[in-house]
Amino acid sequence: MKLSQYYVPISRTLGYDAMDQPFTLIFGPTRSGKSFLTLHLINVLASLPLDNINGLHGLASCPTQMYIIDLKNAEMAGLGRLLPPDRVATSKSEALKLLVHFIELKRKRANFIADKTSFGATASTLHMPLFCLILEEYATTNAVFNEGLSKQDRNDRYKWDALIRELFLTGAGLGFVAIIITQQPSVGNAGLSTIITEQVSVKLGMGAMTSTQLRLGFGNDVDIPDYHLTKGEGLAWINGSNDELLMPFRAPHIDPSRIWETLKLSLSYQDTDRYLLMTNT
């Protein structure tokens, strides 16, 4: 099986191209396996490209650069111990600062592609590394930015919304991607704007949920199968692959005693200056 340079396995039999399908939504109740699935995706993304589908770990010649916003200060925030400084935000001010920086990097890459490369070039044709923003528990993050009535609160809220909108509308072709994690997949409950939901190209519903909950996450255009899912099991919708039929999967087993050492290896290739404008042509 010939793998795309940006191929990311969800399980050993199911995956997606993170450049072509840049925005992922992972939803499900507490203790459904969302965080462990995300750690698996981070591990693979950070060591792209894969050379062996069964290995679930890659060559790291085109490593995705990871940025994390986790206002719950939970598992994702813990990766700050492995990432370079200022890659993880755990407060409102840090989150806005990180998002501003992430968008500035996107714009810098856009200018580079426009000014320094041949006409029609894209991050994909130039084989540039991905830059990925992880948004842990988006409902919590959105609620924090909707709090407060001061002028500063309103300015922060406007700036946050504008930058998120810019990322989801313009990031894809530049290799700037995102993974959203949330318990509540609906627009109303999680604060997911229609701009975000329309741009999401991979949806992964984890754990036991009612058909109503699944429909909130996957929408009304797909058939909801009668599966009883447990922790670590999920249903996947991948744009252009299974538009009307959800695919069941079991996330790869992650040994909690070994995951830290695995991530320490895969996240050892994090260097903004080296990879932002790097091409592999």
Side-chain angles (χ1 to χ4, degrees):
M1 177 182 180
K2 181 175 177 56
L3 302 178
S4 155
Q5 178 178 358
Y6 304 104
Y7 180 80
V8 177
I10 298 168
S11 69
R12 293 188 185 276
T13 59
L14 182 67
Y16 64 99
D17 185 303
M19 180 69 83
D20 291 341
Q21 293 138 334
F23 302 118
T24 299
L25 173 66
I26 301 176
F27 64 94
T30 303
R31 293 184 292 278
S32 61
K34 298 190 304 294
S35 293
F36 273 89
L37 176 62
T38 305
L39 290 175
H40 159 69
L41 297 180
I42 289 172
N43 174 54
V44 174
L45 282 163
S47 60
L48 289 176
L50 291 177
D51 61 337
N52 178 3
I53 185 61
N54 293 318
L56 300 183
H57 198 281
L59 301 172
S61 60
C62 190
T64 301
Q65 302 300 293
M66 311 304 302
Y67 294 75
I68 298 170
I69 294 176
D70 180 5
L71 300 193
K72 291 170 56 181
N73 201 11
E75 291 96 341
M76 295 300 123
L79 297 181
R81 294 161 56 191
L82 302 179
L83 291 167
D86 301 322
R87 291 286 194 97
V88 176
T90 58
S91 68
K92 178 180 179 180
S93 59
E94 289 176 353
L96 189 55
K97 180 179 178 182
L98 186 148
L99 182 58
V100 167
H101 179 59
F102 195 74
I103 295 300
E104 287 174 345
L105 293 175
K106 178 192 71 71
R107 294 169 181 171
K108 185 175 181 180
R109 175 175 281 187
N111 291 334
F112 169 79
I113 292 175
D115 298 339
K116 305 295 184 181
T117 63
S118 60
F119 178 78
T122 65
S124 180
T125 61
L126 295 170
H127 305 292
M128 303 179 83
L130 299 168
F131 275 61
C132 181
L133 177 63
I134 308 288
L135 291 156
E136 169 66 292
E137 193 44 64
Y138 193 82
T140 299
T141 305
N142 190 68
V144 167
F145 276 95
N146 280 319
E147 292 175 348
L149 299 174
S150 70
K151 181 178 180 180
Q152 186 62 53
D153 290 326
R154 293 195 300 272
N155 288 342
D156 288 348
R157 182 159 54 247
Y158 175 81
K159 192 170 187 178
W160 171 268
D161 289 341
L163 292 172
I164 287 289
R165 184 166 57 250
E166 179 176 340
L167 172 61
F168 278 82
L169 290 178
T170 67
L174 299 169
F176 276 69
V177 306
I179 297 175
I180 294 176
I181 312 164
T182 186
Q183 291 186 44
Q184 302 288 343
S186 68
V187 172
N189 292 334
L192 295 169
S193 70
T194 53
I195 289 175
I196 293 177
T197 55
E198 288 173 359
Q199 297 301 318
V200 163
S201 43
V202 178
K203 297 179 182 179
L204 306 173
M206 298 293 295
M209 285 181 279
T210 66
S211 59
T212 300
Q213 290 172 313
L214 289 169
R215 199 162 292 287
L216 285 173
F218 289 113
N220 296 317
D221 297 330
V222 298
D223 293 328
I224 303 298
D226 186 18
Y227 285 115
H228 176 68
L229 302 177
T230 60
K231 183 177 180 180
E233 297 177 338
L235 293 169
W237 175 85
I238 302 174
N239 187 31
S241 177
N242 59 314
D243 292 337
E244 297 180 358
L245 181 65
L246 300 180
M247 300 175 66
F249 69 92
R250 178 183 289 275
H253 173 71
I254 294 180
D255 185 344
S257 66
R258 296 181 57 189
I259 185 59
W260 190 256
E261 291 303 315
T262 301
L263 288 166
K264 185 183 294 186
L265 174 62
S266 62
L267 291 173
S268 61
Y269 303 92
Q270 299 290 301
D271 186 332
T272 300
D273 292 339
R274 178 179 181 182
Y275 293 109
L276 178 63
L277 306 181
M278 187 185 85
T279 62
N280 292 300
T281 54

